[in-house]
Amino acid sequence: MDRKISSQGFTLIELVVTLTVATILLAVGIPSYKSTATRNHIESLMSDLTRSLNLARSEALKRGMTVTVCKSADQLVCGGNWSNGWILFNDKNKNGSIDVGDELLHTHGAIAQGLSLKYAAFPSSNYVQFLGSGFTKQQNGTFTACGSAKKVENARAVIVHKTGRARPSIDSDRDGIYEKGSGNPLTC
């Protein structure tokens, strides 16, 4: 039995079905990809921030003096907002501002476009100070990162304790939303 193979191509119906399936797959896949990419950028940012805070604490312990982490728009002086970046420096007069004689220890530039980073703390949201003991200067606080879509499911935080420990936020009740140090859900 000899069979001939036809090479006529697709019918119009086959083409329409294929395009419909492809469109559905793209419609489902692209938002999921964007959400995953945003979450990965936020987790990377929070990892960078945690490393910076741990470095500041380590330097304060090693030097036996106050080290400050402050928001910095130009990576030279304190100011701007946390999304612009931050600097670490030994703060000889403990005023939360880099002055003549203070040594710049580390800088971190602006965060990825489409992300925001905020810090809420008492007594100041402008900086975190680590004393020579490794403790903060009576500061508890929470750094919160969100994406431009403000989806709270993607939000992550780094929680700073008075003891100087910086830890990532967790989703203790497994509802898909991470919590602040108080146990309340993060907000964007």
Side-chain angles (χ1 to χ4, degrees):
M1 267 174 49
D2 240 351
R3 287 190 171 182
K4 290 187 178 180
I5 299 175
S6 173
S7 60
Q8 295 177 9
F10 292 107
T11 66
L12 182 59
I13 292 175
E14 291 172 329
L15 182 61
V16 169
V17 168
T18 302
L19 289 174
T20 302
V21 169
T23 302
I24 291 169
L25 289 174
L26 285 174
V28 170
I30 288 176
S32 175
Y33 171 77
K34 283 184 178 181
S35 183
T36 300
T38 298
R39 192 170 28 258
N40 287 343
H41 286 301
I42 288 172
E43 288 177 0
S44 176
L45 165 65
M46 299 318 271
S47 183
D48 287 351
L49 178 61
T50 301
R51 276 192 299 275
S52 292
L53 293 168
N54 288 337
L55 174 63
R57 183 178 189 216
S58 173
E59 287 294 321
L61 282 164
K62 181 173 81 175
R63 295 165 184 263
M65 65 184 324
T66 300
V67 172
T68 297
V69 180
C70 71
K71 56 187 177 180
S72 178
D74 61 5
Q75 285 65 61
L76 296 172
V77 297
C78 297
N81 64 61
W82 289 99
S83 296
N84 298 135
W86 56 86
I87 59 175
L88 284 66
F89 58 94
N90 66 332
D91 195 354
K92 290 182 180 176
N93 63 2
K94 303 174 187 172
N95 67 351
S97 180
I98 191 165
D99 303 307
V100 174
D102 290 343
E103 180 185 357
L104 186 63
L105 303 173
H106 176 73
T107 64
H108 188 286
I111 65 175
Q113 194 170 14
L115 301 183
S116 65
L117 179 64
K118 295 182 180 173
Y119 180 55
F122 177 82
S124 176
S125 302
N126 297 319
Y127 59 83
V128 180
Q129 287 184 315
F130 293 91
L131 305 174
S133 63
F135 285 56
T136 65
K137 187 178 178 183
Q138 298 299 315
Q139 289 176 284
N140 280 329
T142 302
F143 285 94
T144 306
C146 293
S148 59
K150 304 285 186 203
K151 287 186 173 183
V152 73
E153 303 84 36
N154 291 335
R156 297 292 184 270
V158 172
I159 299 151
V160 181
H161 295 274
K162 289 180 187 178
T163 60
R165 180 175 171 243
R167 70 166 179 87
S169 57
I170 59 171
D171 179 13
S172 61
D173 58 6
R174 299 176 192 243
D175 66 351
I177 300 172
Y178 283 61
E179 293 97 20
K180 301 175 187 177
S182 63
N184 296 326
L186 294 176
T187 57
C188 287

